[in-house]
Amino acid sequence: MELLNQHVSIRKFKTQPIAYSLIESVIYSGTKASTTGNMQLYSVVVSETPEVREKLIPHHFNQNVAKSAPVLLTFVADFNRFAKWCEISSANPGYDNFLSFFTAATDAIIVAQNVCVAAENLGLGICYLGTTIYNAREIVKVLNLPKLTFPVTTLAIGYPDEIPGRTDRIPLRGIIHKEKYKNYSGLDIKELYSFKENLESSKQFIKENNKDYLAQVFTDVRYKKADNEFFSQKMMEVLREQGFLM
Amino acid sequence: MELLNQHVSIRKFKTQPIAYSLIESVIYSGTKASTTGNMQLYSVVVSETPEVREKLIPHHFNQNVAKSAPVLLTFVADFNRFAKWCEISSANPGYDNFLSFFTAATDAIIVAQNVCVAAENLGLGICYLGTTIYNAREIVKVLNLPKLTFPVTTLAIGYPDEIPGRTDRIPLRGIIHKEKYKNYSGLDIKELYSFKENLESSKQFIKENNKDYLAQVFTDVRYKKADNEFFSQKMMEVLREQGFLM
């Protein structure tokens, strides 16, 4: 519990490599998590060599965390392996559709989170790279991902070379709904986000970005409507290219 | 590590209720996991009363595990709360699109998996209900889920009333790809799945379903093409209804 509660993302790693047996061991713990119908609809690509990492990093927008990590783990929603098993078993796979993609994506994300917990338990640090879905097409190419696979997230992983402070969270009552969803009033929202808005780091963030409100940093700088729409369309196209929207 | 490695899904629970403080505590651990841009794009609906559970259970196809659990936790991809915060902050949210849905879904699934680990650490048992996305429309109605939210998975949770055997997994070498994805030959697949195919439980499964091969039980009985296509279309419709495909 303490391990989970003390999680903090690491964005700066030591150059020290990770023993391959450790990488196997954390992925092993990943595969022990629940998986839909015990189909194990995922693969994990372990990229350690500079050659491959250097090809991946631009598609993670050259973030320092991606450059710093000695290992990049790409978590792949994978119906390819299962469909191949069907084909050699006189069974007709019907997984070239959106539901199957989402099912495999869920499986892969569950594995990723178990890998995080296992890695932190061994003194490693991790950071999710959400950029994976933005540039799935390019990552598919670098990693030779076949039809019926799709990269859903990436973990940068290594030995921490920083001790970041814990990140703020909104109060738990803002997350939990009893019995049914209770929608938020303006006042609810104001209360839930006031702690975050009043952090020194938030005020700094607003100032640096020349905004009036913290939320504007998200909508106007970090997660913009035009970008979201551009990458939504691209992601759909890649889902089609990968055979998940037949 | 042992906790992760010994995971097994529980499908039969004691009637013993779970103290609400424990539920809060495992969800708290869930919220400590990584989240995109610290936006916390999720909500958790805790359904304990018979009234609400009885309305949810049919949409989980009346599975015994759903009936048996004293608590159902529905994990919701949630851009509603964040968008409301934007609106009261003179910020224009641009999250009515597929990328934003998938980002929030990832956040919600990461929380769910941390909740599993935390719950098992407290002696509780869990089972994922993959049926959530099949009947998202109906679950949206029961739980009053507003626009910009979508239920992505459900955990049945309670004190275990069974000690199931560990589930088989294919060998780790079938999951891990070094540097890039290495596609599978027919022989690779044969080797990877031979242990599973030769289990007594698999042989029983084949016999019960009157099939020749284990894979056929998946394609012809459990996860059929026609069902997958039907529920793919329905899921897309519900994403549109919920405002994620504008």
Side-chain angles (χ1 to χ4, degrees), chain A residues 81 85, chain B residues 169-175 184 186-197:
Chain A
R81 184 178 59 243
W85 179 52
Chain B
R169 293 287 188 264
I170 65 168
L172 200 57
R173 65 174 185 281
I175 301 298
Y184 305 88
L187 193 64
D188 293 336
I189 296 288
K190 227 178 155 65
E191 278 177 7
L192 290 173
Y193 287 86
S194 71
F195 176 78
K196 179 192 284 287
E197 284 179 324

Side-chain angles (χ1 to χ4, degrees), chain A residues 141-201:
Chain A
K141 274 194 198 125
V142 172
L143 299 182
N144 297 334
L145 299 179
K147 291 258 167 131
L148 293 187
T149 68
F150 192 97
V152 290
T153 195
T154 302
L155 288 178
I157 182 166
Y159 289 97
D161 196 25
E162 60 170 0
I163 308 174
R166 303 267 282 286
T167 323
D168 63 288
R169 293 287 188 264
I170 66 168
L172 200 57
R173 65 176 185 279
I175 301 298
I176 296 180
H177 301 257
K178 288 190 185 180
E179 300 306 325
K180 299 183 180 190
Y181 194 99
K182 188 172 173 299
N183 214 334
Y184 305 87
S185 68
L187 191 64
D188 293 337
I189 295 288
K190 225 175 157 61
E191 278 177 9
L192 290 173
Y193 287 86
S194 70
F195 176 78
K196 180 194 284 287
E197 285 181 322
N198 286 301
L199 287 171
E200 262 321 302
S201 57

Side-chain angles (χ1 to χ4, degrees), chain B residues 84-146:
Chain B
K84 279 196 185 311
W85 179 52
C86 294
E87 281 158 9
I88 66 162
S89 309
S90 307
N92 182 29
Y95 307 115
D96 53 351
N97 46 63
F98 181 68
L99 186 93
S100 299
F101 159 69
F102 194 80
T103 302
T106 301
D107 265 25
I109 295 163
I110 288 172
V111 174
Q113 183 54 22
N114 253 22
V115 166
C116 291
V117 175
E120 291 180 350
N121 186 48
L122 293 174
L124 293 160
I126 64 94
C127 186
Y128 277 92
L129 305 182
T131 37
T132 311
I133 55 169
Y134 292 62
N135 291 320
R137 179 180 284 137
E138 292 78 4
I139 293 169
V140 160
K141 275 197 198 120
V142 172
L143 299 182
N144 297 334
L145 298 180

Side-chain angles (χ1 to χ4, degrees), chain A residues 12-30:
Chain A
K12 195 174 168 219
F13 300 99
K14 292 182 181 159
T15 52
Q16 184 184 349
I18 309 173
Y20 194 73
S21 59
L22 284 195
I23 296 174
E24 280 190 321
S25 150
V26 298
I27 297 174
Y28 178 81
S29 294

